[in-house]
Amino acid sequence: MDVPALVANVVTLARQAGDKILEIYEQEDLGVVNKADHSPLTLADLAAHQIIVEGLTNLTPAWPILSEESKTIPYHERQSWQHFWLVDPLDGTKEFIQRNGEFTVNIALINDGIPMLGVVYAPVLGIAYGAAQDWGAFRYRGEQEPERIQVRTYQPGSRLQVVASRSHAGPETEEFLQRLESRGLEVEVVSRGSSLKFCLVAEGQADLYPRFGPTMVWDTAAAQCVVEQAGGSVTTLAGERLTYDREALLNPYFVAAGSFPWQDYR
């Protein structure tokens, strides 16, 4: 497998989906409807889904695709998949509807439950993040050469940068932040939408992203690959790597981290 070429192809595909999303983003009517679980769905979700599925099918016809918009595929079929694409055509639909720009396109390649390739693209920012196992993590800006990224090395005594929202966080997140502060850490909290929270950790702008609320597998897989290949980790509260060879599409709680030893503060 030519990994750099595959990542580049997926980045191009994510940008194509992003262009379509932006086209709809600028329209007055976003075509918002509510799905059965009451989460919002827009014309952009469906258009991006169609572009990505068609592109991945042409790129790797033998590998199946699980997208947020095709999640009805039963587990008895999915459990035999060794390689498959895991896609969120528009991560952060609420951010899209609010027009704050903090939404992404997420495309991951899963191998035996592990995200071995991941691309996250932020259409409004025009920035993509691409990573692959044993290859590294890179940031793509326009036509510039990709820049290698890595998590930052936390220096004891320095300010801890955490991606979370005090105003919207649940009690578990607030308790976690208070525990860090009670141990003498100076904590600065920043807020981002969608999988951009992972990307802040991956590029060294944040040390931690604790998630004590519901997420689905397509919300996390691509960005997890970016964080891991940048030198970080994405683990459950028990310290186990987040994996994708399970029946449940709902993720357990997790923490994405750079080098900060968050488990010492549980």
Side-chain angles (χ1 to χ4, degrees):
M1 183 187 301
D2 185 343
V3 171
L6 184 58
V7 175
N9 282 328
V10 177
V11 168
T12 297
L13 183 57
R15 284 172 167 166
Q16 291 171 352
D19 288 346
K20 187 62 177 179
I21 289 170
L22 288 181
E23 181 183 318
I24 297 171
Y25 188 58
E26 295 173 359
Q27 298 176 5
E28 183 175 346
D29 182 9
L30 301 178
V32 182
V33 297
N34 286 322
K35 294 187 282 190
D37 61 359
H38 304 295
S39 61
L41 177 71
T42 71
L43 293 173
D45 293 84
L46 299 174
H49 167 81
Q50 183 175 357
I51 289 170
I52 294 169
V53 168
E54 182 178 339
L56 291 177
T57 301
N58 291 333
L59 189 62
T60 56
W63 294 345
I65 301 166
L66 178 63
S67 168
E68 180 177 10
E69 309 314 328
S70 63
K71 59 191 176 187
T72 55
I73 299 173
Y75 179 63
H76 69 78
E77 181 178 341
R78 291 188 282 115
Q79 67 180 340
S80 64
W81 294 354
Q82 179 182 2
H83 288 85
F84 69 96
W85 295 102
L86 183 53
V87 175
D88 192 342
L90 178 51
D91 180 29
T93 300
K94 291 180 180 179
E95 282 75 19
F96 176 83
I97 294 170
Q98 294 169 3
R99 302 182 191 271
N100 66 17
E102 296 183 355
F103 50 86
T104 59
V105 176
N106 301 340
I107 304 174
L109 177 60
I110 308 299
N111 178 36
D112 287 335
I114 302 299
M116 64 171 294
L117 182 152
V119 167
V120 175
Y121 179 54
V124 170
L125 300 178
I127 297 175
Y129 299 86
Q133 192 170 349
D134 302 323
W135 180 66
F138 295 82
R139 181 173 50 223
Y140 298 71
R141 299 178 189 267
E143 300 305 315
Q144 299 177 22
E145 285 295 311
E147 312 163 81
R148 184 179 290 273
I149 59 173
Q150 62 182 49
V151 301
R152 78 169 185 157
T153 300
Y154 176 77
Q155 301 295 331
S158 64
R159 180 179 298 170
L160 187 70
Q161 303 285 345
V162 178
V163 192
S165 172
R166 288 191 187 277
S167 60
H168 297 98
E172 296 97 337
T173 302
E174 189 62 38
E175 181 182 340
F176 180 78
L177 296 174
Q178 290 175 354
R179 191 180 310 123
L180 295 174
E181 291 172 336
S182 71
R183 299 284 291 275
L185 294 171
E186 182 182 358
V187 178
E188 180 175 350
V189 179
V190 297
S191 178
R192 290 293 186 278
S194 68
S195 56
L196 288 172
K197 294 184 283 292
F198 289 93
C199 296
L200 286 183
V201 175
E203 63 187 0
Q205 293 191 45
D207 299 295
L208 288 179
Y209 164 35
R211 182 67 186 217
F212 303 128
T215 60
M216 306 300 288
V217 291
W218 41 77
D219 296 324
T220 58
Q224 176 177 346
C225 184
V226 175
V227 170
E228 290 179 342
Q229 299 310 312
S233 62
V234 181
T235 57
T236 68
L237 301 189
E240 299 172 346
R241 187 184 196 180
L242 197 61
T243 58
Y244 299 88
D245 53 354
R246 47 191 162 83
E247 181 174 4
L249 297 176
L250 181 68
N251 286 322
Y253 293 169
F254 63 84
V255 177
S259 65
F260 179 75
W262 67 272
Q263 293 188 57
D264 296 343
Y265 295 82
R266 286 187 299 174

